[in-house]
Amino acid sequence: MDKPVIGVVGLGVMGHSLVLNMERNGFSVVGFNRNKATGRAFMEGPAKGKRITITESDAALAEALDRPRCILLMVPAGDPVESVMRALEPHLEPGDVLIDGGNSFLLDTERRLKNLEAKGLNFIGMGVSGGEEGALWGPSLMPGGSRQGYDTLEPIMKAIAAKADDGQPCVEYMGPGGAGHYVKMVHNGIEYGDMQLIAEVYDLFRRGLGLSAAEMQAIFIEWDKTVLHSYLIEITAKVLGKIDEQTGKPLVDLVLDEAQQKGTGKWTSQNSFDIGAPVPTINAAVESRILSSLKEQRVAASKMLHGPSSNFKGSRQALIDAARDALYAAKITSYAQGMGMLTMASKEYHYDLKPGEIAKIWRAGCIIRADLL
């Protein structure tokens, strides 16, 4: 068998899904996981009988790959990326390509790129969107950094990426430096805004109209057949229809109203102030997540501050229609704010971002895919 054409470090949910995607598209893959039991379980399970091999050391991973080596890191952002890179570096040669596929902070990506370039290595910071299903069947990919590194990697990326309705793969070289991770950061900021808007419509329907989960599901199913058609509207309808097996109640009625965040939405807000980009919808969504985490304080306050009556006495259908139109308008503003921020960042950081190409690669695979793109 020819030497594997790409290595993947980190065989968690996203990592092993991407490995299976690559193999299904004709590429041999070698994987490595710090937790060796995870690697063996993957090899004995989903990877069994496929063009996939698992090594048990960094040196063995590097030796198993043809030159120039291409190694994709699918490990958590921050210290884990630093640790893996330090372990791999002694086994790499000039011309090899390292790709960070996690949600790393753009300044970390910029620093790593400069350090590796000085050693003759090509570094790519790549946003990956689509979750587990996207990673397995076709994600939206946002690579930036070394152009030479991307050119080496491009045939693999175009093969595994999601395909839009016109057959175009949802991957393009974003630009130099941290451009790839920057675009993914803003993607996630738009996602925050979109999810908050949907949550506010849910709250309006639940507390204002007193609609059940089943009634709301029917509305979102219909909305998904209109200009609102998008992954997040589609998945909202599915979530509203999910029944908890133990209680027999709608799962959404049992979910705690407390959201956490991984950092990319917060980074979007923080950076928007750095470059002077107005993104009020995204900022409001980040603030709402922070407020939601103050559960104990909110419960205490609600005992003293009751707020207005939630009784709605007007036309139910008129309110539903108004909510639909408001949601569509607000979704457009969330996307527009993100695109405006990308344009301003491109000038600030000399990324040469092309909003039209970014919109094209967000048409399939990613979380914010929507007809309005």
Side-chain angles (χ1 to χ4, degrees), residues 38-59:
T38 299
R40 286 193 288 268
F42 177 54
M43 198 64 218
E44 294 165 4
K48 190 172 184 178
K50 295 180 169 60
R51 288 168 296 180
I52 299 169
T53 56
I54 302 298
T55 62
E56 296 200 352
S57 72
D58 299 287

Side-chain angles (χ1 to χ4, degrees), residues 251-316:
L251 182 63
V252 71
D253 291 345
L254 305 176
V255 174
L256 190 66
D257 58 335
E258 186 174 348
Q260 297 180 340
Q261 51 184 321
K262 294 181 179 179
T264 45
K266 179 180 68 177
W267 295 341
T268 305
S269 282
Q270 289 172 333
N271 186 257
S272 74
F273 291 111
D274 291 339
I275 66 174
V279 290
T281 303
I282 296 171
N283 291 340
V286 174
E287 289 181 350
S288 293
R289 288 208 184 197
I290 295 171
L291 281 170
S292 78
S293 69
L294 305 176
K295 176 71 173 176
E296 187 176 338
Q297 294 180 41
R298 290 190 292 107
V299 170
S302 69
K303 295 176 181 177
M304 296 179 283
L305 305 170
H306 301 294
S309 168
S310 60
N311 281 335
F312 178 72
K313 299 179 180 178
S315 166
R316 168 174 144 163

Side-chain angles (χ1 to χ4, degrees), residues 124-370:
I124 293 173
M126 182 170 72
V128 179
S129 180
E132 179 181 2
E133 183 177 353
L136 181 60
W137 298 108
S140 175
L141 301 171
M142 296 151 257
S146 167
R147 179 75 213 208
Q148 180 181 346
Y150 175 72
D151 290 342
T152 301
L153 196 67
E154 186 177 51
I156 301 174
M157 296 297 99
K158 286 192 176 295
I160 69 169
K163 306 300 185 291
D165 289 342
D166 59 1
Q168 291 297 308
C170 291
V171 57
E172 288 289 347
Y173 176 71
M174 294 288 96
H181 277 145
Y182 193 94
V183 172
K184 178 56 165 42
M185 177 189 78
V186 174
H187 165 285
N188 285 20
I190 295 170
E191 179 186 339
Y192 270 47
D194 209 343
M195 292 173 67
Q196 178 63 25
L197 295 169
I198 292 171
E200 291 183 9
V201 169
Y202 167 85
D203 186 60
L204 178 68
F205 287 173
R206 187 75 180 87
R207 295 195 300 134
L209 291 182
L211 301 184
S212 67
E215 289 173 315
M216 284 185 280
Q217 181 191 29
I219 292 169
F220 274 89
I221 288 174
E222 287 304 309
W223 283 2
D224 198 41
K225 300 174 184 176
T226 70
V227 291
L228 280 171
H229 176 60
S230 65
Y231 172 73
L232 286 173
I233 294 293
E234 175 188 336
I235 202 68
T236 298
K238 291 180 179 179
V239 168
L240 288 166
K242 184 70 175 178
I243 301 298
D244 178 62
E245 294 179 359
Q246 292 185 333
T247 64
K249 296 179 179 179
L251 182 63
V252 71
D253 291 345
L254 305 176
V255 174
L256 190 66
D257 58 335
E258 186 174 348
Q260 297 180 340
Q261 51 184 321
K262 294 181 179 179
T264 45
K266 179 180 68 177
W267 295 341
T268 305
S269 282
Q270 289 172 333
N271 186 257
S272 74
F273 291 111
D274 291 339
I275 66 174
V279 290
T281 303
I282 296 171
N283 291 340
V286 174
E287 289 181 350
S288 293
R289 288 208 184 197
I290 295 171
L291 281 170
S292 78
S293 69
L294 305 176
K295 176 71 173 176
E296 187 176 338
Q297 294 180 41
R298 290 190 292 107
V299 170
S302 69
K303 295 176 181 177
M304 296 179 283
L305 305 170
H306 301 294
S309 168
S310 60
N311 281 335
F312 178 72
K313 299 179 180 178
S315 166
R316 168 174 144 163
Q317 190 57 50
L319 181 59
I320 292 172
D321 291 344
R324 177 198 61 213
D325 295 343
L327 178 59
Y328 184 51
K331 280 168 71 76
I332 291 174
T333 66
S334 186
Y335 284 79
Q337 288 166 25
M339 287 296 186
M341 183 173 175
L342 288 170
T343 300
M344 296 181 73
S346 185
K347 295 177 182 177
E348 179 77 18
Y349 303 123
H350 308 290
Y351 284 158
D352 193 28
L353 298 175
K354 298 175 176 60
E357 288 187 358
I358 295 170
K360 284 172 64 177
I361 68 169
W362 285 348
R363 290 180 297 162
C366 70
I367 302 300
I368 64 169
R369 59 186 185 267

Side-chain angles (χ1 to χ4, degrees), residues 82 85 98 106-125 144-147 149 173 175-179 351:
E82 299 286 348
M85 288 176 62
L98 274 180
L106 75 144
L107 295 183
D108 289 338
T109 301
E110 301 267 6
R111 172 177 51 80
R112 291 164 185 157
L113 177 64
K114 290 177 182 176
N115 290 341
L116 292 176
E117 276 185 339
K119 301 172 184 177
L121 299 171
N122 296 306
F123 184 64
I124 293 173
S146 167
R147 179 75 213 208
Y173 176 71
Y351 284 158

